[in-house]
Structure formats: C-alpha cells, structure tokens
Amino acid sequence: MPAPFVCYLRVYEPLGALPGPLAQRVRAGLARGAIPVTRVGARERDVCLRAQLGVPVRLLPGERADGTATEGPVDVLLADGADAPVTEEGAPAPARFGPTTLVCPLDTRPRAAAALVGFLSSESPVLRTAALSHEESAVRSRAEAVVAELGEGATHIVSATWTVPLPWFVLVEATDRVLVLAHEDAATADGPGLRRRCYWRVSMADALARADSAAELLSSTLGDGGPAEVLRDTARWLRHFDPGSLVELDYGGLVQLVDDETLAGDTSAEDVTAALDALREGDAEKAMESYRRLRDFWAGRAIRERAN
C-alpha cells in the first residue's frame, strides 16, 4: 500500500521548551522509540484506522471511547531522523535526551480534529453522510472542542495533500535541500521507494525572516490576499514555537508521484526565489514566468487526486 500522498511543514522544538506534561509524554515516546520520518504517513494512517475500526468506534486517534484524550507516550520525531537506541531483544535501550534535543510531536489527535472540521466544511452532504458514524452536528462539536484544547498553542505539524502549498517554498533556499533517491534495495517491508526523501531544514530565524519579507513584498505588489495571506498565517503559526526551533519542509508521500529524474530536476525553491527577485526588480513578466513553471509542475501532481 502506498504511503499517504501528504507533504509536511514541521517544527522541531527544543525538548526543554515544551510545557511540563507534554515534555513528559514526549520523553516517554522517545524512550519507546522515535518514529522514523519515512514511516510517519503510514503510522498516522494506522492509528486513525484503528480508532475508526475499534469497538467501540472512537472519533479521533489518541482518545478513549468517551472522547477524552489518552495520557500515554506520544509519537515523536527526532530532528536527526534517528530512532531511540534499541536492544538486541527489541526493547528500547536507555538513552539521554536533554533540553536542547530537537523533537517534533506528531500531535495526531488535534491535527485529525482540525482535518475533520475542514472535511465537514468543504465536502458534499452525500460524502459527509457516508463517512460519519454519528450525527454531524455532534461530530463537528466534538472536533471543534478538541481543536480548542490547544488554546494559544499550536500543533507542531501542518500538512497538505497531493501538492505543496507554493508559499511554503518561500521559507527555504535551494541550497537547503536534502535529496535521497531510490536505491536497488529501496523496496522494503515498508513498501517500494519509501526511503526516498526530498526535504529542507532551516532555522526558525531564517524561516520567519523569509516569510515576513516575502509577505511584505507580495502585499505591496499583488495585494494582501492569496500568497501574502498564507505567508502571514504561516509566520503567525511559526511564532508559537521557541526561537531555537528547526523548520522542515518535507515532500513526504508526494515523492511517490515523481520519478528520480524528475525529483532531482525539481526547481520549485529556485522558481519561488526567482519570482520574488523579479518582483523586487519590478519585472512582472519574469516573475509570472517563474510562477507558471512552478504552478504547472505541481498542477501535474495535484490532478491525480481527481483521477484517484
């Protein structure tokens, strides 16, 4: 089964910056073993399906049948992509994780709740009725309550399906990219090609500076809506986290939509930089040329959603 066609914008935050209860659950998750980043999509799909197929059915992953959140270890990623050490018997070995260890909790329950609210707001009544096992108003109320539990906080991950939101490329530079292509042994028990990756990692300071600068430029040249608004929203989200955090843009399961040659030749980050530079120089035609190249590349991926 292919991994979900999902890309991610993640924040890896210093363990010492997490609030006490969450830090304890993250430490418990690290002791159990961090989730390999290439298995994130499959892991989240698994826990969501288990919630829906369990008896009794649970509306969201990470909660009890009565809708209250569980309090056990949380799934977590480490910034270096490594797992917690494992003994020969398969049990997690003792490991030390200090306050500066960069971690990214998956926050699956509130993210699933937010996705459910979005689903109820955007999909047709026929599909909503077919997908829900409870009355829609009750489902919406519960999902909105879970999102509200975040208070002034935020999830460490935002995601998108089938395509990358183009403003996200503003946060990175071409030289930041890490590309892992397929190898002869890439077909594993996890599925073919799941070791392939394309991602960028940048400091929080750089990500915020780029988002703020581009939002200001786009507002002054193209207006306050569209990409400028997305970037302002993204910057507000990033400011929820510690300044010492790391920001990661990861193609995730979208790498399955392109072959190695296409992935290696992808110039999305370069195209965004070129478009912004052209706008600064007042060359609208050159900016539009870069934007069209970027739009056409990702439109070719996104169209597969309708053919799925």
Side-chain angles (χ1 to χ4, degrees):
M1 180 181 294
F5 298 106
V6 179
C7 67
Y8 307 92
L9 192 60
R10 304 186 182 102
V11 173
Y12 292 83
E13 196 169 19
L15 183 55
L18 300 180
L22 177 58
Q24 292 177 4
R25 298 182 66 201
V26 166
R27 285 182 178 275
L30 290 172
R32 182 177 62 184
I35 303 297
V37 70
T38 54
R39 291 289 299 160
V40 165
R43 170 64 177 173
E44 291 189 325
R45 177 176 58 201
D46 180 61
V47 297
C48 288
L49 285 175
R50 286 177 181 272
Q52 290 295 304
L53 299 177
V55 180
V57 172
R58 289 162 289 151
L59 180 63
L60 299 169
E63 66 179 22
R64 304 180 183 90
D66 63 0
T68 59
T70 58
E71 299 175 355
V74 299
D75 288 334
V76 59
L77 300 174
L78 280 172
D80 61 3
D83 300 326
V86 176
T87 66
E88 293 182 0
E89 293 76 18
R96 289 187 177 182
F97 300 101
T100 60
T101 302
L102 295 177
V103 295
C104 179
L106 296 194
D107 299 324
T108 306
R109 181 171 178 261
R111 288 173 50 229
L116 182 53
V117 172
F119 170 81
L120 295 175
S121 302
S122 61
E123 296 298 342
S124 68
V126 173
L127 184 56
R128 297 200 304 267
T129 300
L132 298 178
S133 57
H134 297 82
E135 202 275 326
E136 182 175 324
S137 62
V139 169
R140 181 186 294 274
S141 178
R142 283 186 57 191
E144 289 176 344
V146 171
V147 174
E149 289 174 6
L150 289 170
E152 296 183 356
T155 62
H156 288 73
I157 304 173
V158 292
S159 58
T161 57
W162 295 98
T163 187
V164 179
L166 303 186
W168 287 3
F169 288 108
V170 167
L171 307 179
V172 302
E173 291 185 346
T175 54
D176 297 325
R177 184 172 77 157
V178 178
L179 183 62
V180 181
L181 297 178
H183 301 286
E184 292 181 1
D185 62 347
T188 68
D190 293 337
L194 286 184
R195 296 181 184 179
R196 298 170 75 227
R197 286 196 72 197
C198 180
Y199 65 97
W200 291 256
R201 285 179 174 174
V202 299
S203 70
M204 177 63 75
D206 285 344
L208 279 172
R210 292 167 184 168
D212 290 340
S213 175
E216 182 177 356
L217 172 65
L218 292 168
S219 292
S220 65
T221 55
L222 303 178
D224 289 332
E229 183 177 6
V230 173
L231 285 170
R232 286 194 297 271
D233 288 343
T234 301
R236 280 194 290 269
W237 170 66
L238 291 174
R239 286 189 167 90
H240 282 94
F241 305 103
D242 188 84
S245 299
L246 188 70
V247 180
E248 177 181 74
L249 170 57
D250 185 357
Y251 279 5
L254 300 189
V255 297
Q256 298 165 112
L257 301 177
V258 291
D259 57 30
D260 280 0
E261 183 178 358
T262 303
L263 196 58
D266 172 29
T267 59
S268 296
E270 292 93 330
D271 291 339
V272 167
T273 298
L276 293 175
D277 288 344
L279 285 177
R280 290 188 181 96
E281 297 166 1
D283 192 338
E285 183 176 349
K286 184 177 179 181
M288 184 56 66
E289 179 183 348
S290 296
Y291 170 74
R292 287 197 185 108
R293 186 164 53 247
L294 179 71
R295 180 197 61 191
D296 292 348
F297 177 84
W298 286 106
R301 317 279 85 77
I303 198 172
R304 300 191 184 194
E305 179 178 14
R306 295 183 178 273
N308 186 272

